[in-house]
Amino acid sequence: MVPYNQLEGNLPSDIGITLYNLRVLNVGGNLFTGSIPVTISNLTKLYYFSISQCGFTGKVPSLEKLHDLGKILLYDNHLGTGEVDDLSFFDTLTNATRLSLVSLTTNNFGGVLLESISNFSKEFSFLNVAWNRLVGTIPSGIGNLINLQLLFLSHNHLSGNIPSDIGKLQKLQVLGLAHNTFHGEIPSSFENLTSLFWLTMYENNLRGSIPSYVEKYKFLQVPSLDHNSLSGVIPKEVVSLSLLQYLSLAHNNLIGSLPLDIGLLRNLETLDVSQNMLVGQIPASIGSCVMLTSLNMEDNKLSGILPSALAHLRGIEELDLSHNNLSGNKKLCGGIPELQLQSCNSKRSRSRRFDLTVKLIFSISFGLLGLLLLLCFLYLCWFRKTINVPLVKFSGNSFLQLSYQSLLKATDGFSPANLIGGGSFGSVYKGILDEGRKVVAVKVLNLRFPGASKSFIAQCKALKSIKHRNLVKIITACASIDYQGNDFKALVYDFMVNGTLEESLHPNDHNNAAHEESRRLNFLQRLNIAIDVASALDYLHQYCSEPIVHCDLKPSNVLFDDEMTAHVSDFGLARFLLEATSNSSANQSSSIGIRGSIGYTAPEYGMGNEVSPSGDVYSYGILLLEMFTGKRPIDSMFSDGLTLHKFAKVALLEQVLNIVDPTLVQQMGMREASSSIQIAQNHSSSSTHEIQECLVSVLKIGIACSDDLPTDRMDIKDVVSQLHAIRARTMLETVAQGGKSTRNVG
């Protein structure tokens, strides 16, 4: 790796022969020219391929043999010839089963987006081909990329309707379609894109109205729809977007008046509705938009007097209300030298407006309040109050009825070979049900263990009332008699194919060397897991019909599905908060058995205090510190008063890299990394510094959550918000890698 130096010349033509075992090739930010050697196709072990910000020309050779390829960064070169087959190498990427990122922005790629992108890896999450010369339509098969989070197609020559299949990309957070020639209406399927925080579709030929379903975009911060042919009114639902910071609807055919409650947009910094056909008065509530620095309403049909509430906009830097029917409108521009007002001009420079847009976007990017990946799937769990076989919704309109005999058969007689773990009061087995050959996890309770029966009841009660994408999904429960006449109780869950967080954080303890590397989690994966777990706790504490305290949060109780989405499991110690606090004396006596697991249990529980959400927050803080330091709270190094919390707190004041999980340090390029480690980040010094800052922010959250005093711990909803903000910074840093010019973000 030799990025960001002054190296020049061509890459050696035999690079794929002499370095055939290479895992990471990063020569970005140098002065290389010429074409990419065709021998690159011999680097069959290559994972990270970056030649960005150089002067390479010509076409990209076949990458068909590069099955391990995960990240491709070719941005800011002169690649492509403007010909129809410039992206033919896309066809050779369908064999790359680990491909997650492709950035080609600011090149000369011509031709069309090939249908082959619909066959990219299921891990594929980032596509940036902005600022090229692409033509044609967006392939409808793009809807197959269900894990796509960032899609940049701006500043090309794409045309046709925006395919409704984009609405299938429910994880999409950033969508850039600006400066093309798309026509037609905004697809109704966009209603499903509830994770968006960045949406740019300016400078197209879009028509129709702005859909009212925008109210579902709770985390939208930067929408730009200007310079289209949109009509109708500005939907009143837009005022519910409390995180909105930039809104541009200029140069359309919008009618009606501004929403009366526009003042609810307290975070709004820029509002541009110029050159439309808006009527009525300027709402007085706009004075509540105290963050506004730019307000442009010129060239409409607004009337009446200016609301005195405009005086509250103390931070305003640009205000244009010209060319309206406002009282005294002639004095709003020109003719007052003392105010240095420019002459009225309805034809503004688009380049000036775009520069302002980019400047604003990047100035607010590091203060984002947060993103939230909303509920993608709601799991329905019903229980019947019966001591025998319960009836629980399984699939369609049928019900699953399971007996002791069926579970015995499913687990091959509860064979030790199928034992996959243990939880509170029982053991967990992998099983296969006859019905559809469904793979399940069967938790069999050890009823000889004190409290096991109560645990079964607690889990049934808790699990029947919860439904969240980050909580384990229960299929059914079984209370029966085994063949020896003993009571038998079991819970049946969806099987989580990727194991537990415990196994991923400490692979040496659970897997052989062949599987160790595959379990290593990079920074963004850990951040996503942290958000998943925090979201689950936020739901349990605030949004259940009866708030629930989990009481046993730890890495072994965090499970991963096939997409590495985290699910909190094991509610054997869970307590309903209202039930616990309604009888404090009873709870005080029973809390002795509700201590959770050593190292993760809140210290106040050891003194007999009542269970509370802050106890879960403590456990979460310890878990978060463990995730990013790689150290268990019961590590032998923690003795004589030293705890994981104190260890991390002291390190923040000295050298944070000394406590970070060595795997992360290597992955992020903060020390010299072995070529066998997958590099997950760009290795420029600015990028590394930004990721380190994000890492420090995460550790601060873990420290704040694990404070000894419950009153000094963070609220879990604030944890979710701050972690989303950190992820936004991380992802925007990735976006920034898409090109050295800030214009590439649109």
Side-chain angles (χ1 to χ4, degrees), residues 229-240:
S229 299
L230 298 173
S231 57
V233 301
I234 300 175
K236 64 181 185 300
E237 289 81 4
V238 75
V239 302
S240 67

Side-chain angles (χ1 to χ4, degrees), residues 497-517:
V497 297
N498 277 317
T500 70
L501 178 59
E502 163 78 16
E503 295 166 347
S504 292
L505 291 178
H506 311 289
N508 289 328
D509 298 344
H510 300 274
N511 298 91
N512 58 39
H515 293 88
E516 181 177 342
E517 182 176 342

Side-chain angles (χ1 to χ4, degrees), residues 89-259:
F89 71 96
F90 270 30
D91 290 339
T92 68
L93 292 175
T94 56
N95 294 326
T97 58
R98 305 173 67 184
L99 187 66
S100 64
L101 182 151
V102 173
S103 181
L104 311 179
T105 186
T106 317
N107 278 289
N108 297 316
F109 290 113
V112 299
L113 275 176
L114 302 177
E115 287 284 350
S116 54
I117 66 172
S118 63
N119 296 320
F120 279 4
S121 162
K122 69 175 183 178
E123 297 180 17
F124 194 68
S125 61
F126 185 111
L127 177 62
N128 187 353
V129 293
W131 292 87
N132 279 288
R133 301 164 62 183
L134 301 180
V135 298
T137 60
I138 302 175
S140 59
I142 200 168
N144 293 342
L145 304 177
I146 58 174
N147 287 311
L148 203 62
Q149 298 181 39
L150 296 101
L151 176 62
F152 283 91
L153 306 177
S154 300
H155 290 265
N156 280 286
H157 306 290
L158 299 171
S159 59
N161 290 319
I162 298 174
S164 61
D165 268 28
I166 290 181
K168 297 178 181 178
L169 308 178
Q170 296 186 10
K171 294 185 179 181
L172 203 62
Q173 299 177 34
V174 180
L175 176 60
L177 302 176
H179 200 86
N180 282 286
T181 57
F182 294 120
H183 56 76
E185 298 185 358
I186 300 173
S188 59
S189 63
F190 273 31
E191 181 176 7
N192 300 319
L193 303 181
T194 53
S195 296
L196 281 178
F197 81 93
W198 191 328
L199 174 64
T200 57
M201 296 196 290
Y202 62 80
E203 291 187 5
N204 281 288
N205 298 316
L206 300 177
R207 55 181 174 79
S209 59
I210 300 173
S212 60
Y213 60 67
V214 295
E215 65 178 338
K216 296 186 177 181
Y217 294 176
K218 297 299 184 184
F219 312 102
L220 189 63
Q221 299 175 44
V222 184
S224 181
L225 303 176
D226 54 272
H227 288 77
N228 280 288
S229 299
L230 298 173
S231 57
V233 301
I234 300 175
K236 64 181 185 300
E237 289 81 4
V238 75
V239 302
S240 67
L241 306 181
S242 59
L243 298 182
L244 212 61
Q245 299 186 26
Y246 176 91
L247 177 60
S248 180
L249 303 175
H251 292 260
N252 280 291
N253 301 314
L254 300 175
I255 60 174
S257 58
L258 287 169

